[in-house]
């Protein structure tokens, strides 16, 4: 095999790996993998309390909530399992105060609450430590043996300040200072959250990918032709990413600040529709030279989706701008990482039949099909893809 053919083979393998990374997880969930929401608050007296929201679909998979097997989980079925839910959750949460002293945790009367991706069981927590801790260690192993993608989203409030973190069931316990929060640490926390949520926000990734696929091509003679240089491809990607960034930054800020609010079902349906439109446009382009306009228009909708995530993380009122800027920059860093991984490979393969037919046309068809299912699920409230 000649060197050029070896390079081409490696590039094709790398491109398939990239498409697999962003494509295969879609079957798990239309918007994001499994999350739980853990909030812990330290009062001025030093006492701790909390709330833990865990998705009913995850609990049903773990301990079985749907007693009659009809596919619908009722309040009666959840209430009958309150003891099992509390025992299962508490066995997978370990809190320790100063000097690694264990803190006891008790669950109060459970409730239900709706998040953007379904109904959650709400566990009020009473946390008792030997002394008012200035440091808290959190060991989190919820669903560690069932779902490697599961994460716990922590919102920790102490002395009037808030910070967030991602709790990985596979990772060792994390330690948090409960004293006055460092502003830089808060900024880094929200930046990290932004990176994480663009990487697991598969519908956002597929929308961006749909716009990037034709960046190394141009429409001529009723077919896609490879661009003649890297410069036009780079500037096309620059315009697309910049437009998407500006647009979702506007609506993310407006929604997070409570200035504009839209129904979750409408936002999620519109996001799915944007993926369908962007993918189908690659098959026979209606908009070819100005895809940045499409990126801007639909980016306004995607911003509301990002805002729902940021709101559920808990926005600290005293450092609101810091949280918004950090989260938004994190989203951009996540996007740029995807672009940096995808664009060189796409440019290398742009003239090949593999890229034009398998990656661009075949990939766009698959993306449109997946997003079409998401659109039906979100618009009409039923499930086709497994959760």
């Amino acid at each position: 095999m000649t060197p050029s053919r070896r390079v081409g083979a490696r590039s094709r393998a790398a491109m398939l790996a990239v498409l697999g990374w962003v494509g295969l997880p879609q079957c798990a969930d239309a918007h994001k993998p499994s999350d739980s929401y853990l909030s812990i608050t330290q009062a001025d007296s030093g006492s701790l309390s909390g709330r833990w929201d865990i998705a009913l679909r995850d609990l049903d998979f773990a301990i079985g909530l749907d007693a009659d097997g009809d596919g619908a989980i009722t309040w009666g079925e959840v209430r009958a399992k309150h003891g099992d839910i509390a025992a299962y959750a508490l066995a997978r949460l370990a809190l320790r105060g100063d000097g690694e002293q264990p803190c006891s945790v008790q669950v109060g009367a459970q409730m239900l609450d709706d998040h953007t991706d379904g109904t959650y069981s709400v566990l009020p927590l009473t946390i008792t430590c030997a002394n008012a801790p200035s440091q808290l260690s959190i060991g989190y192993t919820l669903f560690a043996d069932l779902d490697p993608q599961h994460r716990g989203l922590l919102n920790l409030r102490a002395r009037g300040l808030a910070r967030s973190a991602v709790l990985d069931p596979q990772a060792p316990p994390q330690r948090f200072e409960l004293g006055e929060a460092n502003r830089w640490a808060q900024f880094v926390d929200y930046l990290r959250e932004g990176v994480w949520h663009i990487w697991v926000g598969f519908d956002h990734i597929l929308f961006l990918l749909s716009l990037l696929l034709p960046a190394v091509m141009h429409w001529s003679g009723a077919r896609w032709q490879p661009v003649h240089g890297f410069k036009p491809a780079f500037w096309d990607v620059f315009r697309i990413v910049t437009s998407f960034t500006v647009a979702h930054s506007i609506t993310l800020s407006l929604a997070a600040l409570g200035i504009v609010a839209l129904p979750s079902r409408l936002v999620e349906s519109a996001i799915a529709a944007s993926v369908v439109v962007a993918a189908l446009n690659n098959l026979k382009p209606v908009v070819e030279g100005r895809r940045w306009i499409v990126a801007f228009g639909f980016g306004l909708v995607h911003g509301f989706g990002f805002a729902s995530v940021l709101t559920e993380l808990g926005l600290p009122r005293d450092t609101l701008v810091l949280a918004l800027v950090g989260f938004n920059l994190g989203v951009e860093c996540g996007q740029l990482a995807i672009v940096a991984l995808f664009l060189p490979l796409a440019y290398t393969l742009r003239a090949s039949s593999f890229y034009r037919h398998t990656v661009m046309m075949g990939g766009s068809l698959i993306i449109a099909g997946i997003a079409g299912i998401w659109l039906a699920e979100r618009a009409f409230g039923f499930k086709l893809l497994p959760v």
Side-chain angles (χ1 to χ4, degrees):
M1 182 181 292
T2 65
S4 61
R5 288 185 178 180
R6 283 198 295 269
V7 170
R10 286 196 296 266
S11 298
R12 287 193 293 271
M15 177 62 74
L16 289 173
V18 171
L19 294 177
W21 173 66
V22 298
L24 290 179
Q26 317 310 321
C27 296
D29 194 281
H31 182 66
K32 59 184 180 63
S34 164
D35 293 328
S36 81
Y37 300 89
L38 177 63
S39 299
I40 298 177
T41 301
Q42 185 178 50
D44 293 338
S45 63
S47 63
L48 297 172
S49 60
R51 165 177 165 153
W52 197 0
D53 292 22
I54 306 174
L56 291 185
R57 66 176 185 275
D58 294 333
L59 289 169
D60 182 43
F61 184 69
I63 61 176
L65 301 181
D66 186 11
D68 57 12
D70 64 351
I73 302 174
T74 65
W75 168 243
E77 290 171 329
V78 175
R79 184 171 54 190
K81 290 281 190 175
H82 276 181
D84 294 337
I85 293 172
Y88 182 85
L90 293 183
R92 289 156 179 81
L93 180 67
L95 303 181
R96 296 179 179 274
D98 301 334
E100 292 298 306
Q101 299 177 6
C103 301
S104 66
V105 184
Q106 293 182 326
V107 175
Q110 297 176 42
M111 302 170 289
L112 297 179
D113 194 9
D114 288 328
H115 289 250
T116 57
D117 59 341
T119 304
Y120 282 59
S121 177
V122 179
L123 285 66
L125 305 178
T126 300
I127 303 167
T128 306
C129 302
N131 300 297
S134 60
Q135 190 179 81
L136 188 66
S137 172
I138 302 178
Y140 180 97
T141 57
L142 186 68
F143 305 127
D145 55 338
L146 300 176
D147 183 359
Q149 286 192 312
H150 176 81
R151 295 295 183 270
L153 303 182
L154 173 68
N155 182 251
L156 182 62
R157 295 179 179 271
R159 297 191 180 183
L161 298 175
R163 64 179 301 180
S164 67
V166 175
L167 302 174
D168 184 348
Q170 314 295 331
Q174 294 189 44
R175 194 183 309 275
F176 301 92
E177 296 292 336
L178 298 181
E180 184 172 345
N182 180 282
R183 292 292 192 271
W184 171 250
Q186 286 186 300
F187 175 81
V188 171
D189 284 341
Y190 279 92
L191 185 142
R192 185 171 55 245
E193 299 295 336
V195 173
W196 169 250
H197 280 283
I198 188 64
W199 284 354
V200 300
F202 298 123
D203 43 8
H204 303 297
I205 292 177
L206 288 192
F207 174 72
L208 185 62
L209 187 60
S210 295
L211 295 175
L212 293 178
L213 282 170
V216 295
M217 313 288 286
H218 68 95
W219 186 256
S220 177
R223 60 177 293 182
W224 288 107
Q225 305 282 357
V227 296
H228 297 298
F230 185 77
K231 186 176 180 180
F234 173 82
W235 285 113
D236 191 22
V237 170
F238 177 82
R239 287 190 292 269
I240 289 170
V241 173
T242 301
S243 299
F244 186 64
T245 295
V246 171
H248 75 62
S249 297
I250 292 171
T251 47
L252 168 61
S253 300
L254 291 175
L257 293 172
I259 298 174
V260 179
L262 293 177
S264 174
R265 173 175 286 188
L266 175 62
V267 171
E268 296 300 321
S269 299
I271 289 174
S274 73
V275 181
V276 173
V277 171
L280 291 180
N281 189 67
N282 293 341
L283 304 180
K284 188 172 183 181
V286 176
V287 179
E288 193 273 315
R290 296 186 176 181
R291 289 193 308 282
W292 66 268
I293 297 177
V294 176
F296 184 87
F298 283 123
L300 293 172
V301 178
H302 284 247
F304 287 106
F306 290 128
S308 68
V309 171
L310 185 56
T311 300
E312 289 184 331
L313 283 173
L315 279 170
R317 309 312 300 179
D318 56 335
T319 55
L320 187 58
V321 174
L322 188 75
L324 279 172
V325 172
F327 186 84
N328 215 16
L329 283 178
V331 169
E332 306 326 313
C333 290
Q335 289 181 171
L336 290 177
I338 295 169
V339 171
L341 183 65
F342 177 81
L343 184 58
L345 290 173
Y347 183 76
T348 300
L349 297 170
R350 71 192 188 284
S352 67
S353 174
F354 169 76
Y355 185 82
R356 186 167 56 251
H357 297 296
T358 304
V359 175
M360 185 168 169
M361 306 304 283
S364 296
L365 278 171
I366 292 172
I367 291 172
I370 293 172
I373 295 174
W374 291 347
L375 178 58
E377 290 180 340
R378 296 174 184 186
F380 301 108
F382 60 87
K383 296 298 295 181
L384 290 175
L385 294 178
V387 295

